Amino acid sequence: MTGGGGDYDAVVVGSGYGGSIAACRLAAAGVDVCLIERGRRWAAGDFPTNVVGLLSAVRVESRNWRIALGKKDALFQIHEQGDSLAVVACGLGGGSLINAGVIAPTPARVKKDPRWPSEWNKDWDACEASATSALSAQSIPTEFYNARIMRELAREALEDCVESPVKLSIDFGGGRGGGGGCLGCGNCLSGCPYDAKNSTDKNYLASAIENGCKVRTGCRAQYVVQNPDFDRLGGRGMRGRRWWICFDDLDYVCADFVVLSGIKLILFLD
């Protein structure tokens, strides 16, 4: 390695729900943080709205057949290895770009599970309310077909919750989403072309950036290595940070703390 692309207190890899919230909380606490995302920024008009567009937004990588088909920054990334198949989103906002934004309260029986840390019980409701507020969850005003299905599922799985527990992180009234509100097109799972879905790039990531978080898109973290000089240098200077997050043999960033969120990496640890 011959160079470095940044020196931070913390680096977050991945911009889905886990990564965006981590970056938001770190930045709000005054930590010098950088968020790394393999994909690109998706504008509402970039999302596919027909079958042809959907097929062009898919990349398939097979370790079994040693092939890769599709654009490297395709919205849908399908990975096959052994007998496993994984589908992930590639873009700033991660999985929030291609899900229906369904939010339901935690069932009481789940909260009572003794395997949860006891400290969580004190803050559970407050944290759940905070997340619901940040994601601008709204009750469904129109009985779309998919909304009826979700309501039936909720009735079976969340019977001990309040009546009509399902809310969506979608703008139904032309507010925070900025695109005039949901039109019920059913395109949630391939990205909202009307900018009505409150994906994490519009809330947690926006807040993180406002608090000083640096965002690097189009960067695929290949591996994380421990700085062999860290102990000798005592953590001083760019090359004195504990970790190197490498994109290739020449480009990398340094940090004392690394948060891996929904990402596949090769780790070289002592």
Side-chain angles (χ1 to χ4, degrees):
M1 268 180 271
T2 61
D7 179 27
Y8 304 95
D9 296 331
V11 165
V12 177
V13 182
S15 63
Y17 288 108
S20 62
I21 294 173
C24 177
R25 299 293 183 245
L26 288 168
V31 176
D32 183 19
V33 59
C34 177
L35 181 137
I36 304 298
E37 168 55 49
R38 173 187 177 182
R40 62 183 179 91
R41 295 176 184 266
W42 286 82
D46 297 336
F47 291 115
T49 56
N50 53 50
V51 174
V52 174
L54 187 60
L55 291 176
S56 66
V58 175
R59 176 178 174 83
V60 179
E61 295 184 4
S62 173
R63 290 289 183 91
N64 299 342
W65 296 96
R66 299 178 181 272
I67 60 171
L69 303 173
K71 298 178 181 178
K72 289 185 178 180
D73 63 350
L75 179 61
F76 296 93
Q77 305 272 327
I78 302 175
H79 302 274
E80 180 194 26
Q81 183 172 353
D83 59 355
S84 299
L85 189 70
V87 180
V88 299
C90 183
L92 192 65
S96 70
L97 298 174
I98 60 167
N99 64 32
V102 179
I103 297 177
T106 307
R109 66 179 182 277
V110 172
K111 296 180 184 179
K112 294 177 181 178
D113 192 311
R115 288 172 292 184
W116 295 114
S118 58
E119 295 82 0
W120 286 25
N121 292 326
K122 298 183 296 183
D123 302 323
W124 198 303
D125 292 337
C127 291
E128 194 171 87
S130 176
T132 300
S133 174
L135 295 170
S136 298
Q138 300 184 37
S139 298
I140 308 168
T142 306
E143 190 76 335
F144 303 129
Y145 176 71
N146 58 345
R148 292 199 298 271
I149 294 175
M150 288 186 288
R151 187 188 62 193
E152 292 303 319
L153 291 174
R155 182 173 295 147
E156 296 175 7
L158 307 173
E159 69 278 356
D160 54 353
C161 290
V162 296
E163 186 177 356
S164 301
V166 172
K167 293 185 177 181
L168 300 183
S169 182
I170 292 174
D171 175 16
F172 292 105
R176 191 167 181 175
C182 176
L183 299 183
C185 68
N187 218 58
C188 297
L189 302 184
S190 57
C192 179
Y194 303 108
D195 204 21
K197 187 161 63 171
N198 294 319
S199 46
T200 59
D201 54 317
K202 298 183 178 70
N203 38 70
Y204 287 110
L205 285 175
S207 177
I209 293 170
E210 184 178 344
N211 283 293
C213 175
K214 309 297 188 302
V215 174
R216 290 188 56 169
T217 56
C219 295
R220 181 175 185 175
Q222 299 285 357
Y223 48 88
V224 176
V225 295
Q226 192 169 28
N227 182 356
D229 296 328
F230 179 78
D231 292 335
R232 182 173 62 83
L233 296 176
R236 294 187 296 275
M238 177 182 292
R239 298 182 66 83
R241 294 288 190 177
R242 182 182 294 274
W243 302 103
W244 292 340
I245 301 88
C246 305
F247 311 126
D248 53 43
D249 290 339
L250 299 177
D251 192 12
Y252 65 96
V253 294
C254 308
D256 285 328
F257 299 94
V258 182
V259 178
L260 304 180
S261 167
I263 194 76
K264 183 178 181 180
L265 293 173
I266 300 174
L267 302 180
F268 294 92
L269 308 178
D270 290 339

